[in-house]
Amino acid sequence: MQPLRIVLAQPRGFCAGVVRAIDTVEGAIRKYGAPVYVRHEIVHNAHVVNDLRDKGAHFVEELSEVPDGAITIFSAHGVAHSVVEEARARGLPVLDATCPLVSRVHVQVRRHAAAGRAVVLIGHAGHVEVVGTMGQVDSPVHLVSCEADVERLVFPAGAEIAFVTQTTLSIDDTRGIIAALKARFPAILGPETSDICYATQNRQVAVRELCDSVDLLLV
């Protein structure tokens, strides 16, 4: 029998934004004691979520599930402006664990909307990050998930348009959609730098390369 050869991906593990979010929850439990309340799972990882739950974190979907005065944490995916306002109105002590890259996209959306531009978001409908990003402004944010969605976009003549992207998509996911947007709307404004999380992209590349040289890949 051939000896088993195990290859570890490089890079691997969590990005800095996820580590920061996990540390926020663990730090809150140490400082304030259990329970603390986290709006949505802090990250999409069952092992991490179960470990934090065992330590005293309560994961909820709505702030209405959070008792008055309880320590409240926003997940790494970010939240809509209405959620921030609801927490403020209730006087909840909030720790914001939103990934800094997601926060940067939020700033871009607000800036474009304030300048009167129509905003297009490349992302997956219903994803927690997308819900939070679309909720940054009162004006419509137009979600596109594929090139066919781009063809269905309709804007008034002369409208200024800008686009942003969900951070956890891959460059491969967005390349065709961005090309379609630029083909239909040549003057469209895009991010100064890529909104794609470089850590996510690097790990996706590592997985793709490993698939060419191993018999079984475990994630």
Side-chain angles (χ1 to χ4, degrees):
M1 180 181 294
Q2 292 290 331
L4 180 65
R5 185 171 71 101
I6 298 176
V7 180
L8 294 178
Q10 184 64 33
R12 64 182 183 274
F14 298 132
C15 66
V18 167
V19 171
R20 174 179 175 272
I22 296 169
D23 287 346
T24 297
V25 179
E26 292 182 334
I29 294 171
R30 287 194 301 269
K31 182 174 181 178
Y32 302 106
V36 300
Y37 289 80
V38 186
R39 188 183 183 278
H40 193 68
E41 293 182 348
I42 188 68
V43 295
H44 289 156
N45 184 292
H47 174 77
V48 169
V49 168
N50 290 335
D51 180 62
L52 293 174
R53 187 178 282 117
D54 290 342
K55 293 177 180 178
H58 288 211
F59 296 94
V60 301
E61 291 303 314
E62 302 297 339
L63 290 186
S64 59
E65 303 172 62
V66 179
D68 291 342
I71 298 297
T72 304
I73 301 172
F74 294 155
S75 76
H77 313 93
V79 299
H81 183 66
S82 60
V83 176
V84 176
E85 289 299 313
E86 181 183 355
R88 184 178 294 125
R90 289 188 56 194
L92 293 174
V94 170
L95 301 175
D96 189 355
T98 302
C99 170
L101 185 55
V102 174
S103 295
R104 190 179 75 178
V105 175
H106 289 180
V107 170
Q108 291 174 1
V109 170
R110 293 194 296 267
R111 187 181 72 242
H112 288 311
R117 302 184 187 105
V119 179
V120 177
L121 169 61
I122 301 172
H124 294 152
H127 189 282
V128 181
E129 180 189 329
V130 167
V131 173
T133 299
M134 295 182 72
Q136 292 304 303
V137 293
D138 294 330
S139 55
V141 174
H142 306 269
L143 180 65
V144 295
S145 301
C146 61
E147 294 174 41
D149 289 340
V150 175
E151 295 304 313
R152 288 188 281 269
L153 290 173
V154 177
F155 298 110
E160 294 187 5
I161 310 167
F163 76 89
V164 296
T165 69
Q166 179 182 332
T167 65
T168 50
L169 298 178
S170 72
I171 292 175
D172 291 339
D173 290 333
T174 60
R175 183 180 291 113
I177 300 173
I178 292 173
L181 284 169
K182 291 181 176 179
R184 275 208 70 192
F185 311 107
I188 194 170
L189 298 177
E192 292 84 356
T193 55
S194 175
D195 285 339
I196 300 297
C197 173
Y198 70 90
T200 296
Q201 180 65 25
N202 289 345
R203 284 153 179 76
Q204 290 170 343
V205 170
V207 167
R208 186 182 302 115
E209 292 181 356
L210 275 177
C211 286
D212 294 332
S213 58
V214 299
D215 298 317
L216 175 66
L217 178 66
L218 300 177
V219 179

